[in-house]
Amino acid sequence: MTQKELLYIEDTLGHLKTMEQLLLNAKSNLEDANLKQFVGKQLTKTRQQYNEIFKLLGWHMQDQFLMTQLLDESKSICNLLNNGTLEADDS
Protein backbone atom coordinates (compact mmCIF):
# COMPACT_ATOMS: atom_id res chain seq x y z
CA MET A 1 0.00 0.00 0.00
CA THR A 2 1.38 3.42 -0.91
CA GLN A 3 1.84 6.31 1.48
CA LYS A 4 -0.95 8.18 -0.29
CA GLU A 5 -3.33 5.25 0.16
CA LEU A 6 -2.40 4.99 3.84
CA LEU A 7 -3.15 8.69 4.23
CA TYR A 8 -6.55 8.29 2.55
CA ILE A 9 -7.46 5.45 4.92
CA GLU A 10 -6.20 7.35 7.94
CA ASP A 11 -8.14 10.48 6.93
CA THR A 12 -11.33 8.54 6.33
CA LEU A 13 -11.15 6.75 9.66
CA GLY A 14 -10.38 10.04 11.42
CA HIS A 15 -13.32 11.80 9.76
CA LEU A 16 -15.67 8.99 10.72
CA LYS A 17 -14.49 9.06 14.35
CA THR A 18 -14.95 12.85 14.43
CA MET A 19 -18.44 12.49 12.96
CA GLU A 20 -19.26 9.84 15.57
CA GLN A 21 -18.27 12.24 18.38
CA LEU A 22 -20.27 15.11 16.86
CA LEU A 23 -23.34 12.91 16.52
CA LEU A 24 -22.99 11.60 20.08
CA ASN A 25 -22.76 15.15 21.40
CA ALA A 26 -25.72 16.30 19.31
CA LYS A 27 -27.85 13.33 20.38
CA SER A 28 -27.17 13.94 24.06
CA ASN A 29 -28.13 17.62 23.74
CA LEU A 30 -31.30 17.23 21.67
CA GLU A 31 -34.74 17.33 23.23
CA ASP A 32 -36.93 16.63 20.18
CA ALA A 33 -37.56 12.87 20.05
CA ASN A 34 -37.81 12.72 16.25
CA LEU A 35 -34.59 14.62 15.75
CA LYS A 36 -32.86 12.53 18.41
CA GLN A 37 -33.98 9.36 16.60
CA PHE A 38 -32.71 10.72 13.27
CA VAL A 39 -29.30 11.55 14.76
CA GLY A 40 -29.23 8.09 16.35
CA LYS A 41 -29.73 6.50 12.93
CA GLN A 42 -26.95 8.63 11.47
CA LEU A 43 -24.70 7.56 14.34
CA THR A 44 -25.41 3.90 13.56
CA LYS A 45 -24.63 4.46 9.87
CA THR A 46 -21.36 6.21 10.73
CA ARG A 47 -20.27 3.33 12.95
CA GLN A 48 -21.21 0.83 10.25
CA GLN A 49 -19.13 2.74 7.69
CA TYR A 50 -16.14 2.75 10.04
CA ASN A 51 -16.45 -1.00 10.59
CA GLU A 52 -16.99 -1.66 6.88
CA ILE A 53 -13.62 -0.10 6.03
CA PHE A 54 -11.90 -2.68 8.23
CA LYS A 55 -13.92 -5.49 6.67
CA LEU A 56 -13.06 -4.31 3.17
CA LEU A 57 -9.41 -4.31 4.08
CA GLY A 58 -9.77 -7.82 5.47
CA TRP A 59 -9.14 -6.89 9.07
CA HIS A 60 -11.14 -8.38 11.94
CA MET A 61 -12.84 -6.04 14.35
CA GLN A 62 -10.70 -7.17 17.29
CA ASP A 63 -7.64 -6.13 15.27
CA GLN A 64 -8.74 -2.49 14.81
CA PHE A 65 -6.45 -1.07 17.47
CA LEU A 66 -3.50 -3.09 16.21
CA MET A 67 -4.18 -2.13 12.59
CA THR A 68 -4.56 1.55 13.47
CA GLN A 69 -1.14 1.42 15.10
CA LEU A 70 0.23 -0.41 12.07
CA LEU A 71 -1.15 2.29 9.76
CA ASP A 72 0.55 4.98 11.86
CA GLU A 73 3.84 3.10 11.86
CA SER A 74 3.65 2.40 8.13
CA LYS A 75 3.03 6.08 7.46
CA SER A 76 6.05 7.01 9.60
CA ILE A 77 8.24 4.51 7.75
CA CYS A 78 7.07 5.90 4.39
CA ASN A 79 7.87 9.42 5.57
CA LEU A 80 11.30 8.33 6.72
CA LEU A 81 12.03 6.60 3.44
CA ASN A 82 10.66 9.44 1.30
CA ASN A 83 11.77 12.46 3.28
CA GLY A 84 14.44 11.26 5.65
CA THR A 85 12.38 12.57 8.59
CA LEU A 86 9.83 11.31 11.08
CA GLU A 87 6.76 13.34 11.97
CA ALA A 88 6.24 14.15 15.63
CA ASP A 89 3.63 12.03 17.41
CA ASP A 90 0.83 14.39 18.45
CA SER A 91 -1.07 11.84 20.51
Side-chain angles (χ1 to χ4, degrees):
M1 198 176 291
T2 67
Q3 181 180 11
K4 192 171 191 176
E5 291 168 329
L6 290 171
L7 290 171
Y8 286 147
I9 292 169
E10 181 182 45
D11 286 348
T12 301
L13 293 174
H15 291 310
L16 288 170
K17 279 298 180 185
T18 299
M19 180 59 79
E20 179 184 32
Q21 279 296 21
L22 291 170
L23 290 168
L24 280 170
N25 291 339
K27 187 177 176 185
S28 68
N29 291 317
L30 290 171
E31 295 179 13
D32 182 89
N34 290 331
L35 193 53
K36 201 171 209 174
Q37 182 182 16
F38 174 78
V39 171
K41 287 179 183 179
Q42 295 306 312
L43 180 59
T44 299
K45 287 180 184 179
T46 300
R47 288 175 174 159
Q48 288 171 342
Q49 289 171 339
Y50 183 88
N51 292 335
E52 189 64 26
I53 290 171
F54 281 96
K55 284 200 290 190
L56 289 172
L57 294 171
W59 300 336
H60 298 284
M61 297 311 299
Q62 62 268 25
D63 295 333
Q64 282 187 10
F65 179 73
L66 176 65
M67 296 314 294
T68 301
Q69 287 182 322
L70 183 60
L71 277 173
D72 290 341
E73 289 176 17
S74 297
K75 189 177 99 175
S76 293
I77 291 168
C78 287
N79 283 335
L80 180 61
L81 293 173
N82 290 333
N83 307 323
T85 61
L86 288 173
E87 291 181 4
D89 184 11
D90 296 334
S91 54

